[in-house]
Amino acid sequence: MSVPFLDLAADHLPLAEPFRAAFDEALASSGFIGGQAVTRFEQSFAKFCGVNHTVGVANGTDALELILRAASIGPGDEVIVPTNTFVATAEAVVAAGATPVFADVDAHTLLITPESADAVLSERTAAIMAVHLYGQTVDMVALSAWADRHGLAVFEDAAQAQGAEDGGRRSGGLGLAAGFSFYPGKNLGALGDAGAVTTNDPDLADRVRCLANHGRAAGHHHHVMVGRNSRLDALQASLMSIKLEHLDDWNEHRRQRWGQYLERLCGVDGVRPVAQRPGATPVHHLAVIECDQRDVVREKLSEVGVDTGIHYPVPCHLHPAFARWAGEEPLPVAEAAAARLLSLPMFPTLTEGQVDEVVDELATVLKELR
Ligand SMILES: *Cc1c(COP(=O)(O)O)cnc(C)c1O
C-alpha cells in the first residue's frame, strides 16, 4: 500500500457535479469577474472567520502585499517576519517596498513569539507578520500585547490556517488584517490560484479592494490610487463556495488524523512532533515532525511508497534571494530545525489505516538506521 502526501482528487471527485453546475452557470451568465459569485463567497468566508470584511484577491502573496500597501507600510519601514515560513511572506514585504526583518521561532511550536520578535526590533519596525504555520495560530494575545507596547501593527499570514483558532477566536480576525491563500493544496483551495484579505477595519478593506481593482473607487472610470489587478475570479469564487461548506468537516478530520499520529508516534524513538500551543486549535495544514537522519529517512520512506515533504528545507534568510536582508546574527532554532523537519501525509480523506502504515514504515526505517 502506498500513501500519497496529498490527494486533491479525493476531495474533488464527490463535488464534480456541483462544480460542473457552477461552470455552466458562469458560462451562461458570462459573469467572469466580480459580481454575485464573488460577493457570495466573500460573505461566507467572512462569516466562517468571524470577521466583518473579506476581499477576494488573486492569490495569497498579493493578499499580504495589498494589506501592507493599504496600511501605508512601505519604503523605510521594517516588517518582522519569521524565517521559518514559505518565502511568500517575505516576498510580499519586499513587493510592498518595505524591508523584511527575519526573526527566529520557538523551538517547540516553530512559530514566531514576542521574544523572538523582540530580538530583532528596531526603531524602524512598523509591523509584524505573524505566520500561523502548519495550521497552528501564533499566540496572538501575547504578540499583540508586545506589539501594542511598541506601537506596531500586527498582521496575520493565515495562508495555512483557514479555520484555526486561538482561544476560541478564528484566524483572520486576530490582528489588524489577515492574508489567506487558496492555492489548491491549502485547507481551502481553489481549482487554480486565489486569495483573500480579511479584516474588521472597514477603511482597510476598502483600500485593499480599491488597490486590487486598478485603484477604482466609486465608478469604473474613477481611479483614486495607482492600483493593479489582483481580483478573485467569479468561477473560482463559486467553486470555493461549494468547498467552503465542507471545510469544518475536513479540518476536523485532519485533527483526528493528527491525534492518531501523536498516539502512534509516542513509542517511536528519533522523532518529535511539532508541539501544540496551549489555547490553540490548529487545523493541521501539514503534519510536521522533527526526525533524526531526515534525508535518509525520507528517501527510504519514498522507496516503500510513503510520500513526504519538507516545510521548509531552508529558512528564508538563508536563501540567496533574501541574503541582503539577513541580519548579522544567526537564527539558531530555525536553522537547526530546517535539517530535521519532515512533513508526513495529511489530507482530509487520509484514513486510519494509512496513518498506521506511515508510522509503521517510519518506525521500521528508524530502527534499521540505528
Ligand atoms: C501558500 C502560502 C503563501 C502564498 O500563497 P499564494 O497563494 O501561493 O501566493 C503565503 N504564505 C504562506 C505561509 C503560505 O503557505
Side-chain angles (χ1 to χ4, degrees):
M1 186 166 82
S2 69
V3 186
F5 182 65
L6 195 66
D7 190 353
L8 289 180
D11 290 348
H12 291 154
L13 230 52
L15 300 175
E17 275 314 306
F19 285 164
R20 285 196 187 98
F23 179 76
D24 287 346
E25 198 181 299
L27 201 57
S29 70
S30 295
F32 301 122
I33 302 290
Q36 280 260 306
V38 173
T39 307
R40 212 181 318 127
F41 174 73
E42 288 178 341
Q43 286 171 352
S44 330
F45 194 67
K47 190 158 167 245
F48 177 85
C49 297
V51 297
N52 293 334
H53 308 280
T54 293
V55 182
V57 297
N59 58 67
T61 314
D62 280 8
L64 298 172
E65 179 196 338
L66 291 168
I67 287 171
L68 295 172
R69 286 184 185 275
S72 301
I73 290 169
D77 293 325
E78 290 182 356
V79 179
I80 297 175
V81 301
T83 192
N84 183 36
T85 182
F86 180 54
V87 289
T89 317
E91 276 175 341
V93 175
V94 175
T99 305
V101 175
F102 296 104
D104 209 348
V105 290
D106 175 73
H108 305 284
T109 61
L110 302 177
L111 300 173
I112 197 165
T113 64
E115 293 73 31
S116 68
D118 198 65
V120 294
L121 182 72
S122 89
E123 272 154 29
R124 287 179 301 280
T125 310
I128 176 160
M129 191 64 80
V131 183
H132 304 318
L133 203 69
Y134 311 144
Q136 170 162 239
T137 51
V138 167
D139 183 346
M140 292 296 281
V141 173
L143 193 74
S144 301
W146 169 82
D148 282 351
R149 280 202 297 283
H150 298 285
L152 312 178
V154 184
F155 303 112
E156 301 169 78
D157 177 341
Q160 302 189 359
Q162 296 111 342
E165 294 181 5
D166 181 34
R169 291 162 61 229
R170 282 201 166 174
S171 68
L174 303 173
L176 222 54
F180 285 91
S181 164
F182 303 120
Y183 179 78
K186 303 285 155 97
N187 288 34
L188 176 64
L191 277 67
D193 273 317
V197 171
T198 60
T199 180
N200 285 312
D201 181 334
D203 297 330
L204 194 73
D206 281 350
R207 283 198 296 278
V208 169
R209 195 178 291 285
C210 179
L211 284 169
N213 190 19
H214 300 297
R216 284 191 179 105
H220 196 71
H221 295 294
H222 185 62
H223 304 271
V224 294
M225 291 195 254
V226 179
R228 52 197 269 201
N229 175 1
S230 181
R231 294 176 300 228
L232 170 62
D233 284 2
L235 181 58
Q236 294 300 343
S238 293
L239 300 172
M240 287 197 295
S241 287
I242 293 165
K243 292 184 73 177
L244 182 56
E245 291 184 28
H246 302 273
L247 184 55
D248 280 326
D249 286 346
W250 289 339
N251 283 343
E252 182 52 34
H253 200 91
R254 286 172 184 267
R255 276 192 281 270
Q256 286 180 11
R257 290 294 86 83
W258 177 248
Q260 193 193 339
Y261 267 128
L262 288 185
E263 253 171 50
R264 304 289 198 279
L265 286 169
C266 241
V268 180
D269 284 337
V271 299
R272 192 181 70 81
V274 167
Q276 189 164 324
R277 209 170 52 66
T281 309
V283 290
H284 307 290
H285 172 60
L286 294 164
V288 180
I289 62 170
E290 288 188 41
C291 180
D292 291 350
Q293 303 190 61
R294 191 266 321 275
D295 293 330
V296 192
V297 169
R298 186 158 189 250
E299 182 63 39
K300 299 227 175 247
L301 285 177
S302 156
E303 283 165 16
V304 294
V306 174
D307 279 347
T308 57
I310 304 176
H311 302 85
Y312 293 88
V314 180
C316 287
H317 70 284
L318 298 181
H319 280 291
F322 295 98
R324 55 186 280 210
W325 293 289
E328 307 273 287
E329 303 294 323
L331 301 172
V333 176
E335 287 172 24
R340 296 176 48 80
L341 293 173
L342 182 67
S343 306
L344 303 176
M346 176 56 85
F347 47 91
T349 55
L350 182 70
T351 65
E352 279 186 59
Q354 285 176 312
V355 171
D356 284 343
E357 162 105 5
V358 172
V359 177
D360 286 349
E361 297 291 2
L362 180 61
T364 306
V365 166
L366 280 162
K367 210 178 210 168
E368 278 169 10
L369 288 173
R370 214 167 295 122

